[in-house]
Amino acid sequence: MESADVVVVGAGIIGAACAEALSASGRRVLVVDRGAPAGATTAAGEGNVLLSDKAPGPELDLALASRRRWPELLESLRGELGEALADVEWEAKGGLVVATDQDSITPLRIITEAQREAGVEVRDLGQAAARALEPHLTTAITAAAHYPGDAQVQPVLAATALLAAVRARGGAVCGGTAVEGLIVKGGKVAGVRVGGEAVPCGAVVNACGPWAGHFSITAGAPIEVLPRRGMVLVTAPLPPLVARKVYAADYVASVASGDVDLQVSPVVESTPTGTVLIGSSRQRTGFDESLEVEVLRRLARGAVRLFPVLERVPVMRAYGGFRPYTPDHLPVIGRDPRIPGLWHASGHEGAGVGLAPGTGRMLADLMDGRRPEVDPVPFRVDRPALMAQIKA
């Protein structure tokens, strides 16, 4: 295995976006993944590019920058790779958040007003306007909010396109290959150990998603990134039924919750193939991969409450995946102060696809000594929420 300027460990959407941005800045990048590229968390995702589920703050700032970046990046990839390789099923279809009881109206209006002040395009709607956008919605709507900026991509195709650009620029992508540890000389990164072989490099990026915590321990610089499990139902292909991503207003609270116990909030959206994806669940179960029937039942019941027309629609399959979770719900992006040359890009939980372009650009800017578009300080490795683990 040849030397590289940077080794990115992890070939999911975040690792792919970091590798693309670093190769665009002129570096030779090697991407290494113990499994198939885009085969773990990214393959289990829905491809959401969302502004609607984020309260004002650092994550929303990064989401806004990433949402601006996605179309520009895809246009650049089309020019570089051709239409076929750069087709990631981008859909700027918008999102709809709905309240179905009186108690949810005020919290929904409070967050939409705050998001507007932060630069998000959002329209407050009543029942009639919401059902005009989504005619199959339940009539039990008390309020709704429309987010024209919400979008969706096919996550595996998106990661594959980013990795194809890395290869086209002289980099390499190696799946089925585990990085066994860092090589540190003179107190800084000098390479990685792969299959008993030393691969020289000047920097290493930990983009291992839910396994970033494990890799950080192997690297000798632990960070607290934990797996948080989610499950999704997939219906058989249907005629056009749901035009946007539609979810209940309590989904935002579920995303922000740090509870270990199961959190379920209905989320429904269609794909270009006609299938309907039904989520969303969050549960801290370690790396337990077993499907839980009760979780699937709750997902199905929640979807039917939003869209009664789904009651008799057959479910084709169900799958689960692990999101990378941090205690303060913010990604970890930037240099590790303990080992010069070690960088982290993880902890995006379920927002990795949406935040990927901004994350890659921020990491490349920091590595090049440029000032990033988004303030990197809230995402730093040595922030207080992670400090206890870092000191351990």
Side-chain angles (χ1 to χ4, degrees):
M1 197 173 293
E2 295 183 6
S3 63
D5 298 321
V6 182
V7 173
V8 176
V9 187
I13 190 66
I14 293 298
C18 290
E20 188 283 328
L22 290 167
S23 67
S25 70
R27 291 178 173 83
R28 185 177 185 278
V29 181
L30 169 63
V31 184
V32 182
D33 197 296
R34 66 178 187 172
T41 296
T42 297
E46 297 165 270
N48 294 322
V49 181
L50 301 183
L51 304 175
S52 55
D53 64 340
K54 296 169 183 66
E59 188 182 30
L60 180 57
D61 295 340
L62 186 60
L64 285 163
S66 293
R67 177 60 180 85
R68 291 190 293 270
R69 175 68 179 147
W70 260 121
E72 299 170 0
L73 180 57
L74 294 176
E75 183 62 30
S76 174
L77 293 176
R78 278 191 287 271
E80 185 174 357
L81 304 173
E83 192 67 39
L85 273 177
D87 181 7
V88 302
E89 297 181 4
W90 171 263
E91 292 184 279
K93 60 185 180 180
L96 191 67
V97 181
V98 298
T100 54
D101 58 61
Q102 293 297 319
D103 292 341
S104 299
I105 298 175
T106 298
L108 180 59
R109 295 301 183 232
I110 289 172
I111 192 168
T112 58
E113 181 57 33
Q115 288 169 325
R116 263 191 294 272
E117 292 179 3
V120 177
E121 183 182 359
V122 52
R123 292 192 299 126
D124 295 329
L125 307 177
Q127 183 194 106
R131 297 194 76 236
L133 292 177
E134 295 288 349
H136 296 288
L137 261 175
T138 176
T139 57
I141 296 172
T142 55
H146 177 220
Y147 294 81
D150 280 1
Q152 186 177 23
V153 298
Q154 209 294 333
V156 174
L157 293 179
T160 300
L162 294 168
L163 294 173
V166 173
R167 291 190 182 97
R169 298 165 189 162
V173 180
C174 298
T177 305
V179 173
E180 296 149 359
L182 303 183
I183 298 171
V184 178
K185 294 181 179 179
K188 61 183 180 180
V189 169
V192 292
R193 294 191 303 275
V194 181
E197 179 184 352
V199 179
C201 65
V204 173
V205 179
N206 172 12
C208 297
W211 296 271
H214 287 182
F215 179 79
S216 71
I217 294 171
T218 301
I223 58 172
E224 192 166 6
V225 179
L226 307 169
R228 199 178 188 198
R229 186 132 197 264
M231 301 178 75
V232 176
L233 299 176
V234 185
T235 73
L238 302 169
L241 187 67
V242 184
R244 294 158 190 83
K245 180 183 180 72
V246 181
Y247 60 85
D250 62 354
Y251 173 78
V252 177
S254 177
V255 171
S257 170
D259 288 351
V260 173
D261 295 338
L262 175 66
Q263 311 263 322
V264 177
S265 182
V267 179
V268 181
E269 63 189 315
S270 294
T271 71
T273 62
T275 59
V276 174
L277 305 180
I278 297 170
S280 157
S281 68
R282 281 172 162 77
Q283 192 174 16
R284 301 242 312 266
T285 61
F287 286 102
D288 182 359
E289 295 183 345
S290 58
L291 291 175
E292 298 184 28
V293 174
E294 180 56 30
V295 177
L296 302 181
R297 287 198 184 106
R298 289 179 63 177
L299 291 175
R301 287 196 294 264
V304 170
R305 283 196 297 272
L306 284 184
F307 288 91
V309 69
L310 291 174
E311 184 173 10
R312 299 192 179 279
V313 169
V315 171
M316 186 169 60
R317 65 187 180 97
Y319 64 89
F322 301 105
R323 306 176 180 96
Y325 163 90
T326 63
D328 61 357
H329 300 279
L330 284 177
V332 185
I333 308 169
R335 70 172 70 244
D336 194 301
R338 297 161 293 183
I339 304 178
L342 176 61
W343 299 73
H344 299 279
S346 185
H348 297 72
E349 202 165 333
V353 174
L355 300 178
T359 297
R361 176 65 66 84
M362 179 183 291
L363 193 79
D365 285 344
L366 290 170
M367 209 173 279
D368 284 341
R370 295 189 301 266
R371 183 175 180 174
E373 175 185 358
V374 177
D375 182 5
V377 171
F379 307 102
R380 71 189 189 275
V381 178
D382 58 348
R383 64 185 189 256
L386 303 181
M387 188 62 71
Q389 180 68 18
I390 288 174
K391 287 182 177 178

